């Protein structure tokens, strides 16, 4: 993919996250060169300018001699590479590197073309820095994780080369790359910015979107399994509420169930007046989720195309302006909203699952076991889903409402976007488990009916039944769940025509 700085679509960022090769559009080079020239002019003028010939943060008043500017940038990177914890997933690091490349290439950061090209070459050679995932507070930029990324570029720390772990110096040598020598301001430009938080938030958004669509499939299957009504999905109801997402979800659920013989079997003469909320209110809940995910997508697409380091370089005249674009408050808010959406998708799915295993509500055998009592069926899978829902609730407390002053109170309000975004991966992993269990249960419930569901839901059933047979008697259950999780990871369900964020 050819990355055009400042003009990359959400779909393109998704492709990069999913492994699409990426290179910089040649049209970006003149702007990069002009900004690098402006930095050279500032250095030659000899006036103190933050981040170019001064110390950093609370040490901004310390003037640095011209002979020490290269050492200044190197020391900045090494001192700030203070992260802890497990390494970031490689897919998220790749996305972070591409985001940084897009930001630096807009001609406002003052880096040289060869510095941007180093990121491009590392991505092309699948040379990915090992970046500890903890240590950023989301301002002044994602300093620690981006320092680990930059340290690998200059030959320090560790890298993954085609998935194998090496020291950075060895990895660079194996890839045929020389360690980068940083010029004035370049270390700060690479360290400053919101790319760590934004990459994790985008990854969380993409995973949440995929699971949102899968949950529409499992929600429709659960509705059919329980012989629920599709009347709550009538478009006239949702036209009166006027929420776009709600109407689209109702349309999707109605279309998923269209032609179902199970539904046709109880249209007339059903003694039940209304279904439980977990079935009847799917458009209202999942529609609100869709609207929120779209709002966060708009915020993150804007952020991903922005320039967020400091100071920023302007070329006519050559000038460096200090500001606060590194403050990740927009990302923090977006991550908090995604976390709430993930919680609600899982909460509603678990309630459908609980309804299915309760014979008083579903009309199906207890715990979906053909011989309940002798067999426990889906008793404990529902407990597992409940545990995952509860864990996600505890993770969903808003990160953005917290702030701890740093850097001797120079950086006295921070966004906490980094861990707010990072938690989304664990939350979507939990959600995937919940949806996988509902998939197993809803298909098991449909198996009790002699009639077939709609064509598209039968297609989803067939995908699962290729890997997991009907549960006739109790068996070791964990492999069934893992098989369903793998299907979701591989996007095996027929979700292509369902609504999404972009």
């Amino acid at each position: 993919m050819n990355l055009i700085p400042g003009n990359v679509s959400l779909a393109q960022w998704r492709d990069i996250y999913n492994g699409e090769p990426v290179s910089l559009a040649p049209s970006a080079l003149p702007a990069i060169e002009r900004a690098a020239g402006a930095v050279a002019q500032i250095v030659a003028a000899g006036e103190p300018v933050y981040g170019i010939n001064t110390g950093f943060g609370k040490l901004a008043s310390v003037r640095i001699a011209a002979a020490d500017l290269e050492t200044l940038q190197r020391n900045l990177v090494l001192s700030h590479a203070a992260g802890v914890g497990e390494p970031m997933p490689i897919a998220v690091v790749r996305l972070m590197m591409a985001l940084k490349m897009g930001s630096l290439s807009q001609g406002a950061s003052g880096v040289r073309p060869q510095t941007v090209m180093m990121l491009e070459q590392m991505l092309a050679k699948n040379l990915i820095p090992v970046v500890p995932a903890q240590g950023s507070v989301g301002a002044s930029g994602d300093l620690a994780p981006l320092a680990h990324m930059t340290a690998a570029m200059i030959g320090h720390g560790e890298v993954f080369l085609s998935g194998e772990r090496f020291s950075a110096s060895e990895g660079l040598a194996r890839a045929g790359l020389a360690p980068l020598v940083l010029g004035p301001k370049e270390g700060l430009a690479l360290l400053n910015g919101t790319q760590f938080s934004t990459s994790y938030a985008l990854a969380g958004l993409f995973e949440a979107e995929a699971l949102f669509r899968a949950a529409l499939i499992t929600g429709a299957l659960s509705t059919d399994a329980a012989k629920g009504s599709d009347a709550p999905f009538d478009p006239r109801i949702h036209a009166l509420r006027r929420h776009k997402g709600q109407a689209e979800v109702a349309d999707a659920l109605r279309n998923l169930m269209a032609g179902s013989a199970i539904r046709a079997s109880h249209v007339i003469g059903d003694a039940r007046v209304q279904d439980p909320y977990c079935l009847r209110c799917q458009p209202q809940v999942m529609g609100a989720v869709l609207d929120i995910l779209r709002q966060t997508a708009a915020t993150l697409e804007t952020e991903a195309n922005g320039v967020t380091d400091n100071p920023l370089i302007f070329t006519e005249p050559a000038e460096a302006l200090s500001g606060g674009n590194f403050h990740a408050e927009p990302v923090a808010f977006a991550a908090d909203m995604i976390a709430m959406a993930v919680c609600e998708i899982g909460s509603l799915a678990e309630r459908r699952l609980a309804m299915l295993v309760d014979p008083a509500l579903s009309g199906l055998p207890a715990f979906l076991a053909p011989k309940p009592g002798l067999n426990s069926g889906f008793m404990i899978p529902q407990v597992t889903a409940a545990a995952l829902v509860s864990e996600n609730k505890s993770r969903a407390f808003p990160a953005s409402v917290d702030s701890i002053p740093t850097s001797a109170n120079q950086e006295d309000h921070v966004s906490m976007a980094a861990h707010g975004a990072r938690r989304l991966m664990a939350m979507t992993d939990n959600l995937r488990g919940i949806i996988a269990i509902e998939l197993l249960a809803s298909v098991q419930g449909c198996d009790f009916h002699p009639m077939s569901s709609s064509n598209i839901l039968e297609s989803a059933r067939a995908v699962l039944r290729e890997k997991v047979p009907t549960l006739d008697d109790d068996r070791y259950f964990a492999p069934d769940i893992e098989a369903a999780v793998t299907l979701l990871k591989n996007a095996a369900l027929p979700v292509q025509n369902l609504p999404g964020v972009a």
Side-chain angles (χ1 to χ4, degrees), residues 3 13 16 22 90-103 118-124 127-129 131 146 149 153 195 199:
L3 188 148
W13 292 123
I16 294 170
V22 58
I90 287 175
V92 184
V93 183
R94 285 187 78 259
L95 181 57
M96 180 175 74
M97 295 169 73
L99 288 164
K100 178 57 78 174
M101 186 167 67
S103 179
M118 184 68 167
L119 286 166
E120 181 184 67
Q121 290 167 343
M122 291 175 70
L123 285 167
L127 185 68
I128 308 300
V131 179
L146 289 171
M149 179 196 77
M153 297 169 68
Q195 287 78 31
S199 64

PDB file of all heavy atoms in Angstrom, residues 3 13 16 22 90-103 118-124 127-129 131 146 149 153 195 199:
ATOM      1  N   LEU A   3       1.388   4.821   1.143  1.00  0.00           N
ATOM      2  CA  LEU A   3       0.877   5.676   2.210  1.00  0.00           C
ATOM      3  C   LEU A   3       1.047   7.130   1.808  1.00  0.00           C
ATOM      4  O   LEU A   3       2.165   7.599   1.575  1.00  0.00           O
ATOM      5  CB  LEU A   3       1.624   5.369   3.512  1.00  0.00           C
ATOM      6  CG  LEU A   3       1.108   6.024   4.788  1.00  0.00           C
ATOM      7  CD1 LEU A   3       1.362   5.110   5.988  1.00  0.00           C
ATOM      8  CD2 LEU A   3       1.786   7.368   5.036  1.00  0.00           C
ATOM      9  N   TRP A  13      -5.695   1.828   7.159  1.00  0.00           N
ATOM     10  CA  TRP A  13      -5.055   1.518   8.447  1.00  0.00           C
ATOM     11  C   TRP A  13      -5.415   0.096   8.879  1.00  0.00           C
ATOM     12  O   TRP A  13      -4.568  -0.627   9.424  1.00  0.00           O
ATOM     13  CB  TRP A  13      -5.476   2.517   9.520  1.00  0.00           C
ATOM     14  CG  TRP A  13      -4.979   3.920   9.342  1.00  0.00           C
ATOM     15  CD1 TRP A  13      -5.737   5.046   9.256  1.00  0.00           C
ATOM     16  CD2 TRP A  13      -3.612   4.361   9.237  1.00  0.00           C
ATOM     17  NE1 TRP A  13      -4.944   6.158   9.098  1.00  0.00           N
ATOM     18  CE2 TRP A  13      -3.627   5.768   9.094  1.00  0.00           C
ATOM     19  CE3 TRP A  13      -2.384   3.699   9.256  1.00  0.00           C
ATOM     20  CZ2 TRP A  13      -2.464   6.526   8.971  1.00  0.00           C
ATOM     21  CZ3 TRP A  13      -1.219   4.460   9.133  1.00  0.00           C
ATOM     22  CH2 TRP A  13      -1.258   5.843   8.987  1.00  0.00           C
ATOM     23  N   ILE A  16      -3.216  -2.304   6.993  1.00  0.00           N
ATOM     24  CA  ILE A  16      -1.857  -2.346   7.547  1.00  0.00           C
ATOM     25  C   ILE A  16      -1.842  -3.190   8.812  1.00  0.00           C
ATOM     26  O   ILE A  16      -0.941  -4.023   9.017  1.00  0.00           O
ATOM     27  CB  ILE A  16      -1.351  -0.920   7.823  1.00  0.00           C
ATOM     28  CG1 ILE A  16      -1.184  -0.148   6.512  1.00  0.00           C
ATOM     29  CG2 ILE A  16      -0.019  -0.959   8.592  1.00  0.00           C
ATOM     30  CD1 ILE A  16      -0.911   1.330   6.696  1.00  0.00           C
ATOM     31  N   VAL A  22       3.461  -1.791   3.325  1.00  0.00           N
ATOM     32  CA  VAL A  22       3.227  -0.349   3.239  1.00  0.00           C
ATOM     33  C   VAL A  22       4.522   0.346   2.854  1.00  0.00           C
ATOM     34  O   VAL A  22       5.610  -0.019   3.321  1.00  0.00           O
ATOM     35  CB  VAL A  22       2.673   0.199   4.574  1.00  0.00           C
ATOM     36  CG1 VAL A  22       3.617  -0.082   5.726  1.00  0.00           C
ATOM     37  CG2 VAL A  22       2.383   1.681   4.478  1.00  0.00           C
ATOM     38  N   ILE A  90       3.089  -7.876  17.461  1.00  0.00           N
ATOM     39  CA  ILE A  90       3.796  -7.419  16.265  1.00  0.00           C
ATOM     40  C   ILE A  90       2.867  -6.621  15.342  1.00  0.00           C
ATOM     41  O   ILE A  90       3.266  -5.590  14.777  1.00  0.00           O
ATOM     42  CB  ILE A  90       4.427  -8.624  15.532  1.00  0.00           C
ATOM     43  CG1 ILE A  90       5.638  -9.133  16.329  1.00  0.00           C
ATOM     44  CG2 ILE A  90       4.842  -8.242  14.112  1.00  0.00           C
ATOM     45  CD1 ILE A  90       6.273 -10.388  15.764  1.00  0.00           C
ATOM     46  N   ALA A  91       1.619  -7.063  15.194  1.00  0.00           N
ATOM     47  CA  ALA A  91       0.685  -6.353  14.304  1.00  0.00           C
ATOM     48  C   ALA A  91       0.464  -4.917  14.766  1.00  0.00           C
ATOM     49  O   ALA A  91       0.326  -4.002  13.947  1.00  0.00           O
ATOM     50  CB  ALA A  91      -0.650  -7.094  14.231  1.00  0.00           C
ATOM     51  N   VAL A  92       0.435  -4.706  16.087  1.00  0.00           N
ATOM     52  CA  VAL A  92       0.207  -3.358  16.618  1.00  0.00           C
ATOM     53  C   VAL A  92       1.466  -2.514  16.460  1.00  0.00           C
ATOM     54  O   VAL A  92       1.392  -1.313  16.172  1.00  0.00           O
ATOM     55  CB  VAL A  92      -0.257  -3.417  18.083  1.00  0.00           C
ATOM     56  CG1 VAL A  92      -0.588  -2.024  18.600  1.00  0.00           C
ATOM     57  CG2 VAL A  92      -1.485  -4.321  18.229  1.00  0.00           C
ATOM     58  N   VAL A  93       2.656  -3.116  16.633  1.00  0.00           N
ATOM     59  CA  VAL A  93       3.898  -2.374  16.418  1.00  0.00           C
ATOM     60  C   VAL A  93       4.003  -1.938  14.957  1.00  0.00           C
ATOM     61  O   VAL A  93       4.383  -0.794  14.652  1.00  0.00           O
ATOM     62  CB  VAL A  93       5.132  -3.204  16.810  1.00  0.00           C
ATOM     63  CG1 VAL A  93       6.403  -2.360  16.635  1.00  0.00           C
ATOM     64  CG2 VAL A  93       5.044  -3.678  18.250  1.00  0.00           C
ATOM     65  N   ARG A  94       3.675  -2.837  14.016  1.00  0.00           N
ATOM     66  CA  ARG A  94       3.704  -2.475  12.593  1.00  0.00           C
ATOM     67  C   ARG A  94       2.801  -1.267  12.339  1.00  0.00           C
ATOM     68  O   ARG A  94       3.180  -0.324  11.616  1.00  0.00           O
ATOM     69  CB  ARG A  94       3.217  -3.637  11.717  1.00  0.00           C
ATOM     70  CG  ARG A  94       4.187  -4.775  11.552  1.00  0.00           C
ATOM     71  CD  ARG A  94       3.666  -5.782  10.525  1.00  0.00           C
ATOM     72  NE  ARG A  94       3.869  -5.298   9.160  1.00  0.00           N
ATOM     73  CZ  ARG A  94       2.938  -4.756   8.394  1.00  0.00           C
ATOM     74  NH1 ARG A  94       1.705  -4.640   8.829  1.00  0.00           N
ATOM     75  NH2 ARG A  94       3.211  -4.345   7.174  1.00  0.00           N
ATOM     76  N   LEU A  95       1.619  -1.297  12.923  1.00  0.00           N
ATOM     77  CA  LEU A  95       0.692  -0.182  12.747  1.00  0.00           C
ATOM     78  C   LEU A  95       1.267   1.088  13.356  1.00  0.00           C
ATOM     79  O   LEU A  95       1.185   2.175  12.753  1.00  0.00           O
ATOM     80  CB  LEU A  95      -0.660  -0.537  13.372  1.00  0.00           C
ATOM     81  CG  LEU A  95      -1.780   0.502  13.261  1.00  0.00           C
ATOM     82  CD1 LEU A  95      -2.050   0.866  11.804  1.00  0.00           C
ATOM     83  CD2 LEU A  95      -3.051  -0.030  13.919  1.00  0.00           C
ATOM     84  N   MET A  96       1.888   0.981  14.538  1.00  0.00           N
ATOM     85  CA  MET A  96       2.502   2.139  15.190  1.00  0.00           C
ATOM     86  C   MET A  96       3.602   2.734  14.314  1.00  0.00           C
ATOM     87  O   MET A  96       3.704   3.959  14.167  1.00  0.00           O
ATOM     88  CB  MET A  96       3.058   1.739  16.551  1.00  0.00           C
ATOM     89  CG  MET A  96       3.721   2.862  17.317  1.00  0.00           C
ATOM     90  SD  MET A  96       4.225   2.379  18.990  1.00  0.00           S
ATOM     91  CE  MET A  96       5.655   1.340  18.628  1.00  0.00           C
ATOM     92  N   MET A  97       4.428   1.879  13.725  1.00  0.00           N
ATOM     93  CA  MET A  97       5.503   2.360  12.855  1.00  0.00           C
ATOM     94  C   MET A  97       4.941   3.072  11.627  1.00  0.00           C
ATOM     95  O   MET A  97       5.456   4.114  11.206  1.00  0.00           O
ATOM     96  CB  MET A  97       6.389   1.190  12.440  1.00  0.00           C
ATOM     97  CG  MET A  97       7.146   0.557  13.594  1.00  0.00           C
ATOM     98  SD  MET A  97       7.920  -1.017  13.131  1.00  0.00           S
ATOM     99  CE  MET A  97       9.285  -0.438  12.092  1.00  0.00           C
ATOM    100  N   ALA A  98       3.888   2.528  11.051  1.00  0.00           N
ATOM    101  CA  ALA A  98       3.269   3.165   9.886  1.00  0.00           C
ATOM    102  C   ALA A  98       2.641   4.503  10.263  1.00  0.00           C
ATOM    103  O   ALA A  98       2.730   5.482   9.499  1.00  0.00           O
ATOM    104  CB  ALA A  98       2.223   2.235   9.279  1.00  0.00           C
ATOM    105  N   LEU A  99       2.008   4.562  11.433  1.00  0.00           N
ATOM    106  CA  LEU A  99       1.450   5.828  11.907  1.00  0.00           C
ATOM    107  C   LEU A  99       2.543   6.872  12.097  1.00  0.00           C
ATOM    108  O   LEU A  99       2.384   8.038  11.726  1.00  0.00           O
ATOM    109  CB  LEU A  99       0.712   5.610  13.228  1.00  0.00           C
ATOM    110  CG  LEU A  99      -0.622   4.872  13.173  1.00  0.00           C
ATOM    111  CD1 LEU A  99      -1.031   4.397  14.559  1.00  0.00           C
ATOM    112  CD2 LEU A  99      -1.711   5.764  12.578  1.00  0.00           C
ATOM    113  N   LYS A 100       3.663   6.455  12.679  1.00  0.00           N
ATOM    114  CA  LYS A 100       4.774   7.387  12.883  1.00  0.00           C
ATOM    115  C   LYS A 100       5.333   7.844  11.543  1.00  0.00           C
ATOM    116  O   LYS A 100       5.650   9.027  11.355  1.00  0.00           O
ATOM    117  CB  LYS A 100       5.854   6.717  13.737  1.00  0.00           C
ATOM    118  CG  LYS A 100       7.091   7.571  13.971  1.00  0.00           C
ATOM    119  CD  LYS A 100       6.762   8.917  14.618  1.00  0.00           C
ATOM    120  CE  LYS A 100       6.503   8.813  16.110  1.00  0.00           C
ATOM    121  NZ  LYS A 100       6.323  10.185  16.702  1.00  0.00           N
ATOM    122  N   MET A 101       5.457   6.935  10.600  1.00  0.00           N
ATOM    123  CA  MET A 101       5.941   7.298   9.272  1.00  0.00           C
ATOM    124  C   MET A 101       5.019   8.331   8.627  1.00  0.00           C
ATOM    125  O   MET A 101       5.473   9.319   8.039  1.00  0.00           O
ATOM    126  CB  MET A 101       6.048   6.048   8.395  1.00  0.00           C
ATOM    127  CG  MET A 101       6.680   6.285   7.044  1.00  0.00           C
ATOM    128  SD  MET A 101       7.138   4.751   6.198  1.00  0.00           S
ATOM    129  CE  MET A 101       5.518   4.032   5.875  1.00  0.00           C
ATOM    130  N   GLY A 102       3.713   8.124   8.754  1.00  0.00           N
ATOM    131  CA  GLY A 102       2.766   9.068   8.185  1.00  0.00           C
ATOM    132  C   GLY A 102       2.821  10.429   8.833  1.00  0.00           C
ATOM    133  O   GLY A 102       2.692  11.468   8.167  1.00  0.00           O
ATOM    134  N   SER A 103       3.039  10.466  10.148  1.00  0.00           N
ATOM    135  CA  SER A 103       3.122  11.737  10.862  1.00  0.00           C
ATOM    136  C   SER A 103       4.392  12.497  10.503  1.00  0.00           C
ATOM    137  O   SER A 103       4.347  13.685  10.168  1.00  0.00           O
ATOM    138  CB  SER A 103       3.068  11.475  12.375  1.00  0.00           C
ATOM    139  OG  SER A 103       3.176  12.681  13.106  1.00  0.00           O
ATOM    140  N   MET A 118      14.065   4.802   7.044  1.00  0.00           N
ATOM    141  CA  MET A 118      14.452   3.709   7.940  1.00  0.00           C
ATOM    142  C   MET A 118      13.212   2.959   8.428  1.00  0.00           C
ATOM    143  O   MET A 118      13.188   1.721   8.475  1.00  0.00           O
ATOM    144  CB  MET A 118      15.243   4.262   9.124  1.00  0.00           C
ATOM    145  CG  MET A 118      15.777   3.210  10.065  1.00  0.00           C
ATOM    146  SD  MET A 118      17.067   2.220   9.273  1.00  0.00           S
ATOM    147  CE  MET A 118      17.742   1.369  10.702  1.00  0.00           C
ATOM    148  N   LEU A 119      12.169   3.689   8.772  1.00  0.00           N
ATOM    149  CA  LEU A 119      10.916   3.042   9.165  1.00  0.00           C
ATOM    150  C   LEU A 119      10.353   2.221   8.011  1.00  0.00           C
ATOM    151  O   LEU A 119       9.908   1.086   8.197  1.00  0.00           O
ATOM    152  CB  LEU A 119       9.900   4.087   9.615  1.00  0.00           C
ATOM    153  CG  LEU A 119      10.132   4.729  10.983  1.00  0.00           C
ATOM    154  CD1 LEU A 119       9.256   5.971  11.150  1.00  0.00           C
ATOM    155  CD2 LEU A 119       9.853   3.730  12.099  1.00  0.00           C
ATOM    156  N   GLU A 120      10.361   2.799   6.813  1.00  0.00           N
ATOM    157  CA  GLU A 120       9.836   2.092   5.648  1.00  0.00           C
ATOM    158  C   GLU A 120      10.623   0.808   5.387  1.00  0.00           C
ATOM    159  O   GLU A 120      10.043  -0.252   5.115  1.00  0.00           O
ATOM    160  CB  GLU A 120       9.900   2.997   4.422  1.00  0.00           C
ATOM    161  CG  GLU A 120       9.342   2.344   3.159  1.00  0.00           C
ATOM    162  CD  GLU A 120       9.504   3.231   1.939  1.00  0.00           C
ATOM    163  OE1 GLU A 120      10.666   3.460   1.535  1.00  0.00           O
ATOM    164  OE2 GLU A 120       8.489   3.689   1.402  1.00  0.00           O
ATOM    165  N   GLN A 121      11.955   0.883   5.467  1.00  0.00           N
ATOM    166  CA  GLN A 121      12.782  -0.289   5.189  1.00  0.00           C
ATOM    167  C   GLN A 121      12.588  -1.375   6.240  1.00  0.00           C
ATOM    168  O   GLN A 121      12.550  -2.565   5.923  1.00  0.00           O
ATOM    169  CB  GLN A 121      14.245   0.135   5.115  1.00  0.00           C
ATOM    170  CG  GLN A 121      14.578   0.960   3.892  1.00  0.00           C
ATOM    171  CD  GLN A 121      15.939   1.641   4.001  1.00  0.00           C
ATOM    172  OE1 GLN A 121      16.518   1.759   5.077  1.00  0.00           O
ATOM    173  NE2 GLN A 121      16.456   2.081   2.864  1.00  0.00           N
ATOM    174  N   MET A 122      12.457  -0.974   7.493  1.00  0.00           N
ATOM    175  CA  MET A 122      12.233  -1.963   8.543  1.00  0.00           C
ATOM    176  C   MET A 122      10.900  -2.676   8.339  1.00  0.00           C
ATOM    177  O   MET A 122      10.802  -3.898   8.499  1.00  0.00           O
ATOM    178  CB  MET A 122      12.303  -1.295   9.926  1.00  0.00           C
ATOM    179  CG  MET A 122      13.707  -0.836  10.297  1.00  0.00           C
ATOM    180  SD  MET A 122      13.780   0.092  11.855  1.00  0.00           S
ATOM    181  CE  MET A 122      13.453  -1.211  13.057  1.00  0.00           C
ATOM    182  N   LEU A 123       9.876  -1.934   7.970  1.00  0.00           N
ATOM    183  CA  LEU A 123       8.580  -2.558   7.691  1.00  0.00           C
ATOM    184  C   LEU A 123       8.675  -3.494   6.497  1.00  0.00           C
ATOM    185  O   LEU A 123       8.128  -4.608   6.518  1.00  0.00           O
ATOM    186  CB  LEU A 123       7.530  -1.477   7.436  1.00  0.00           C
ATOM    187  CG  LEU A 123       7.017  -0.724   8.676  1.00  0.00           C
ATOM    188  CD1 LEU A 123       6.231   0.516   8.270  1.00  0.00           C
ATOM    189  CD2 LEU A 123       6.158  -1.634   9.544  1.00  0.00           C
ATOM    190  N   ALA A 124       9.387  -3.074   5.476  1.00  0.00           N
ATOM    191  CA  ALA A 124       9.509  -3.901   4.272  1.00  0.00           C
ATOM    192  C   ALA A 124      10.240  -5.204   4.560  1.00  0.00           C
ATOM    193  O   ALA A 124       9.934  -6.247   3.966  1.00  0.00           O
ATOM    194  CB  ALA A 124      10.227  -3.122   3.179  1.00  0.00           C
ATOM    195  N   LEU A 127      11.205  -6.268  10.012  1.00  0.00           N
ATOM    196  CA  LEU A 127      12.094  -6.046  11.147  1.00  0.00           C
ATOM    197  C   LEU A 127      11.346  -5.160  12.134  1.00  0.00           C
ATOM    198  O   LEU A 127      11.230  -3.951  11.934  1.00  0.00           O
ATOM    199  CB  LEU A 127      13.390  -5.383  10.676  1.00  0.00           C
ATOM    200  CG  LEU A 127      14.489  -5.180  11.711  1.00  0.00           C
ATOM    201  CD1 LEU A 127      15.066  -6.512  12.162  1.00  0.00           C
ATOM    202  CD2 LEU A 127      15.593  -4.290  11.140  1.00  0.00           C
ATOM    203  N   ILE A 128      10.829  -5.761  13.183  1.00  0.00           N
ATOM    204  CA  ILE A 128       9.883  -5.093  14.078  1.00  0.00           C
ATOM    205  C   ILE A 128      10.486  -4.949  15.473  1.00  0.00           C
ATOM    206  O   ILE A 128      10.865  -5.956  16.094  1.00  0.00           O
ATOM    207  CB  ILE A 128       8.559  -5.888  14.162  1.00  0.00           C
ATOM    208  CG1 ILE A 128       8.019  -6.174  12.750  1.00  0.00           C
ATOM    209  CG2 ILE A 128       7.542  -5.139  15.011  1.00  0.00           C
ATOM    210  CD1 ILE A 128       7.718  -4.947  11.935  1.00  0.00           C
ATOM    211  N   PRO A 129      10.607  -3.738  15.999  1.00  0.00           N
ATOM    212  CA  PRO A 129      11.171  -3.561  17.335  1.00  0.00           C
ATOM    213  C   PRO A 129      10.377  -4.302  18.405  1.00  0.00           C
ATOM    214  O   PRO A 129       9.144  -4.425  18.323  1.00  0.00           O
ATOM    215  CB  PRO A 129      11.091  -2.048  17.547  1.00  0.00           C
ATOM    216  CG  PRO A 129      11.085  -1.465  16.164  1.00  0.00           C
ATOM    217  CD  PRO A 129      10.325  -2.453  15.333  1.00  0.00           C
ATOM    218  N   VAL A 131       8.885  -3.909  21.761  1.00  0.00           N
ATOM    219  CA  VAL A 131       8.462  -2.720  22.507  1.00  0.00           C
ATOM    220  C   VAL A 131       7.671  -3.143  23.736  1.00  0.00           C
ATOM    221  O   VAL A 131       6.554  -3.659  23.610  1.00  0.00           O
ATOM    222  CB  VAL A 131       7.594  -1.791  21.627  1.00  0.00           C
ATOM    223  CG1 VAL A 131       7.142  -0.571  22.428  1.00  0.00           C
ATOM    224  CG2 VAL A 131       8.353  -1.365  20.378  1.00  0.00           C
ATOM    225  N   LEU A 146       7.678   4.563  22.293  1.00  0.00           N
ATOM    226  CA  LEU A 146       8.274   5.075  21.063  1.00  0.00           C
ATOM    227  C   LEU A 146       9.795   5.152  21.177  1.00  0.00           C
ATOM    228  O   LEU A 146      10.509   5.029  20.167  1.00  0.00           O
ATOM    229  CB  LEU A 146       7.684   6.446  20.712  1.00  0.00           C
ATOM    230  CG  LEU A 146       6.225   6.401  20.228  1.00  0.00           C
ATOM    231  CD1 LEU A 146       5.653   7.810  20.110  1.00  0.00           C
ATOM    232  CD2 LEU A 146       6.110   5.685  18.885  1.00  0.00           C
ATOM    233  N   MET A 149      10.986   1.750  20.212  1.00  0.00           N
ATOM    234  CA  MET A 149      10.952   1.643  18.755  1.00  0.00           C
ATOM    235  C   MET A 149      12.173   2.322  18.146  1.00  0.00           C
ATOM    236  O   MET A 149      12.866   1.763  17.275  1.00  0.00           O
ATOM    237  CB  MET A 149       9.672   2.283  18.214  1.00  0.00           C
ATOM    238  CG  MET A 149       9.543   2.246  16.695  1.00  0.00           C
ATOM    239  SD  MET A 149       8.278   3.402  16.057  1.00  0.00           S
ATOM    240  CE  MET A 149       9.184   4.965  16.178  1.00  0.00           C
ATOM    241  N   MET A 153      15.990   1.326  15.985  1.00  0.00           N
ATOM    242  CA  MET A 153      16.438   1.959  14.752  1.00  0.00           C
ATOM    243  C   MET A 153      17.898   2.380  14.825  1.00  0.00           C
ATOM    244  O   MET A 153      18.598   2.419  13.805  1.00  0.00           O
ATOM    245  CB  MET A 153      15.553   3.175  14.435  1.00  0.00           C
ATOM    246  CG  MET A 153      14.094   2.830  14.186  1.00  0.00           C
ATOM    247  SD  MET A 153      13.013   4.291  14.138  1.00  0.00           S
ATOM    248  CE  MET A 153      13.570   5.081  12.630  1.00  0.00           C
ATOM    249  N   GLN A 195       1.348   7.808  18.681  1.00  0.00           N
ATOM    250  CA  GLN A 195       1.210   6.645  17.795  1.00  0.00           C
ATOM    251  C   GLN A 195       1.039   5.319  18.552  1.00  0.00           C
ATOM    252  O   GLN A 195       0.377   4.407  18.045  1.00  0.00           O
ATOM    253  CB  GLN A 195       2.414   6.565  16.856  1.00  0.00           C
ATOM    254  CG  GLN A 195       2.413   7.615  15.763  1.00  0.00           C
ATOM    255  CD  GLN A 195       2.857   8.982  16.251  1.00  0.00           C
ATOM    256  OE1 GLN A 195       3.664   9.081  17.172  1.00  0.00           O
ATOM    257  NE2 GLN A 195       2.347  10.031  15.629  1.00  0.00           N
ATOM    258  N   SER A 199      -2.309   3.397  17.826  1.00  0.00           N
ATOM    259  CA  SER A 199      -2.245   2.070  17.209  1.00  0.00           C
ATOM    260  C   SER A 199      -3.047   1.060  18.008  1.00  0.00           C
ATOM    261  O   SER A 199      -3.787   0.242  17.446  1.00  0.00           O
ATOM    262  CB  SER A 199      -0.789   1.610  17.063  1.00  0.00           C
ATOM    263  OG  SER A 199      -0.161   1.448  18.315  1.00  0.00           O
TER     264      SER A 199
END
